[in-house]
Amino acid sequence: MPALQAVLWDMDGTLVDSEKVWAEVQLALLADLGATWTLEDCMTLIGSDLRDAVKVWMARIPDGVISGDELADRMFSEVVEALRREVSFQPGALELLQALRKEDVPCGLVSASYRTMIDAVLGHLPPDPFDVIVAGDEVTLGKPNPEPYLTAAERLGVDPAYCVVIEDSMTGTQAGTAAGMYVVAVPQWISIPDAPRRLVVKSLEPLTPESLRALLR
C-alpha cells in the first residue's frame, strides 16, 4: 500500500477564501446588534466550531438583544448566502485537488462548517470532489479535538499515520496533529509554528501529490 493513504482538506481558508466572508458578516451583524467587534476579534475565531464562536459573540452583545440560537442562525444564513453567490478558491487548491483525484488518492473534506455551508461551497465544484465529508454539525467534538479527522480516516478505512491534513488554522492544525496525521499548514491570517510532522508553507501552489508522498517517507 502506498505511504500516502489519504489527503484530508479543511475548507474555510484552506480550500476557499471564506474567512474573508466570515469576517465581513461578523463585523456587520455584530455591530448591528450593539457589539464592539474588530477584525482582530475575527482572527481569534478562525477555525473555531460555530457553537464555541456563538459563546464568544454572545458575551459581547448587550443582554436581551438576541438569543444564542437566533444569532447562530442569522450568522450562518448570511455566510451561506454569500458563499452561494460566489467563492474564491485559494491559490493552488483546485490544482492540487485535481492532481490528487487524477492519481486516485482518496480525499476527504473535514470542516468546522455545517453541512449546508459546505454544500454552498461545493456547488462551485464539479460533482463528488471528495470521497468523504465530515461537517461540523456531524461530530460531537469539533476541532481542535481530533474527532473530525479520525472520523474521516475511519470512513475511508485508512491509517491516520499515513494521512496528510491540509489546514490554515491553529485549531485545525492541532486537530490533525492530535489525530496522529502529518499536517501541511497554510496560514493566511495567523502564524503557525513549525513542529514535528508539520510543514508550514505560504501557498499550496508548489505542492504536488509526489511532494505530499515524500513527507511520509
Side-chain angles (χ1 to χ4, degrees):
M1 184 174 286
L4 177 61
Q5 294 184 15
V7 176
L8 305 178
W9 293 74
D10 171 57
M11 187 179 78
D12 294 299
T14 302
L15 178 64
V16 296
D17 187 15
S18 52
E19 299 294 1
K20 179 182 177 182
V21 177
W22 268 106
E24 289 172 348
V25 173
Q26 286 179 66
L27 291 169
L29 179 55
L30 294 174
D32 186 53
L33 295 172
T36 300
W37 192 257
T38 66
L39 186 59
E40 288 70 27
D41 291 322
C42 294
M43 292 170 65
T44 66
L45 293 180
I46 289 176
S48 295
D49 183 88
L50 181 61
R51 291 162 291 196
D52 295 329
V54 167
K55 296 174 186 175
V56 178
W57 295 326
M58 288 298 292
R60 299 288 188 91
I61 296 171
D63 290 342
V65 172
I66 193 171
S67 71
D69 288 343
E70 290 171 330
L71 175 60
D73 287 344
R74 283 190 62 181
M75 190 76 71
F76 184 78
S77 62
E78 290 187 24
V79 173
V80 168
E81 283 307 309
L83 293 175
R84 280 186 180 140
R85 289 192 297 270
E86 182 181 9
V87 298
S88 298
F89 290 94
Q90 295 288 33
L94 281 183
E95 292 82 359
L96 178 58
L97 178 60
Q98 290 165 350
L100 290 165
R101 305 305 285 163
K102 187 175 181 180
E103 297 190 16
D104 295 323
V105 177
C107 288
L109 187 67
V110 181
S111 177
S113 290
Y114 288 6
R115 176 67 68 155
T116 304
M117 189 172 294
I118 291 172
D119 289 343
V121 170
L122 295 187
H124 299 275
L125 284 168
D128 302 320
F130 296 100
D131 297 290
V132 299
I133 296 172
V134 178
D137 53 339
E138 298 169 353
V139 294
T140 304
L141 298 171
K143 305 172 187 179
N145 191 280
E147 181 188 340
Y149 281 114
L150 292 175
T151 299
E154 182 180 5
R155 291 181 186 174
L156 287 169
V158 296
D159 185 340
Y162 295 97
C163 293
V164 170
V165 164
I166 304 180
E167 272 283 356
D168 76 307
S169 71
M170 196 65 234
T171 53
T173 297
Q174 291 168 337
T177 297
M181 301 176 179
Y182 197 107
V183 179
V184 174
V186 197
Q188 305 299 322
W189 291 42
I190 59 171
S191 63
I192 297 177
D194 291 320
R197 285 179 63 81
R198 180 186 302 169
L199 173 67
V200 182
V201 296
K202 293 182 179 179
S203 168
L204 294 175
E205 291 175 287
L207 299 182
T208 64
E210 184 53 37
S211 67
L212 296 185
R213 290 189 186 97
L215 297 174
L216 300 178
R217 289 178 187 146

